[in-house]
């Protein structure tokens, strides 16, 4: 039996995570970038320690972190290995769409099993990463939910056999 709700690994900030186009967040200054780097090294680092490293008071760091969270610039989450929390099947699903991509991308985004959605140029219109309890759950999501969406022409699934690297440490280049 599959649960109705699959806990998400990606706690979404308010709004969407559209970081490529239409993002109205102003450019970040060097102090905000330094704060982000500190939190990427250790998401539980105390604000006082961050303040010491970047030259601000604890209160100023707290305000800046809250602003970065509110703007959707960053998230602070616990990243888990899906296998250790009961999700034994992951897959990337390529989706081809007839017509407008947005409604399909929005529907995928709303599915609790879908962790990542990106509209692409190339062989697929949309790529979606799915985390499921097992193969039956994955089949149900792809066959009964994704393929049933209006506008979906075809899908191709890439089942993960072994996760070798997953990191969110690309820094603030």
């Amino acid at each position: 039996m599959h649960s109705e709700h699959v806990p998400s690994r990606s706690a979404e900030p308010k709004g969407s995570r559209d970081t490529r186009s239409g993002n109205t967040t102003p450019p970040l200054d060097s102090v905000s970038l330094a704060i982000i780097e500190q939190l990427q090294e250790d998401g539980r680092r105390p604000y006082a320690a961050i303040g010491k490293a970047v030259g601000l008071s604890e209160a100023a760091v707290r305000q800046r972190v809250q602003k970065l969270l509110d703007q959707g610039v960053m998230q602070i989450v616990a990243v888990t290995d899906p296998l250790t929390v009961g999700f034994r099947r992951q897959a990337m699903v390529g989706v081809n769409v007839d017509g407008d991509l947005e409604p399909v991308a929005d529907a995928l985004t709303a599915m609790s099993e879908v962790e990542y959605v990106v509209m692409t140029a190339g062989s697929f219109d949309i790529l979606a990463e799915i985390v499921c309890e097992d193969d039956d759950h994955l089949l149900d999501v792809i066959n009964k939910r994704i393929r049933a969406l209006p506008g979906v022409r075809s899908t191709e699934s890439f089942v993960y056999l072994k996760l070798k690297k997953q990191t969110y440490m690309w820094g603030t280049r």
Side-chain angles (χ1 to χ4, degrees), residues 91-137:
M92 184 65 69
V93 178
V95 181
N96 284 310
V97 176
D98 288 323
D100 189 2
L101 304 180
E102 292 284 347
V104 175
D106 290 344
L108 290 168
T109 300
M111 293 180 188
S112 61
E113 295 89 351
V114 177
E115 295 296 324
Y116 172 85
V117 176
V118 61
M119 293 185 282
T120 67
S123 298
F124 300 103
D125 297 316
I126 299 172
L127 291 174
E129 184 179 37
I130 301 174
V131 178
C132 293
E133 295 170 12
D134 54 34
D135 288 337
D136 289 336
H137 187 193

Side-chain angles (χ1 to χ4, degrees), residues 1 5 38 49-50 137 148:
M1 177 64 70
H5 176 73
Q38 290 283 310
I50 295 170
H137 187 193

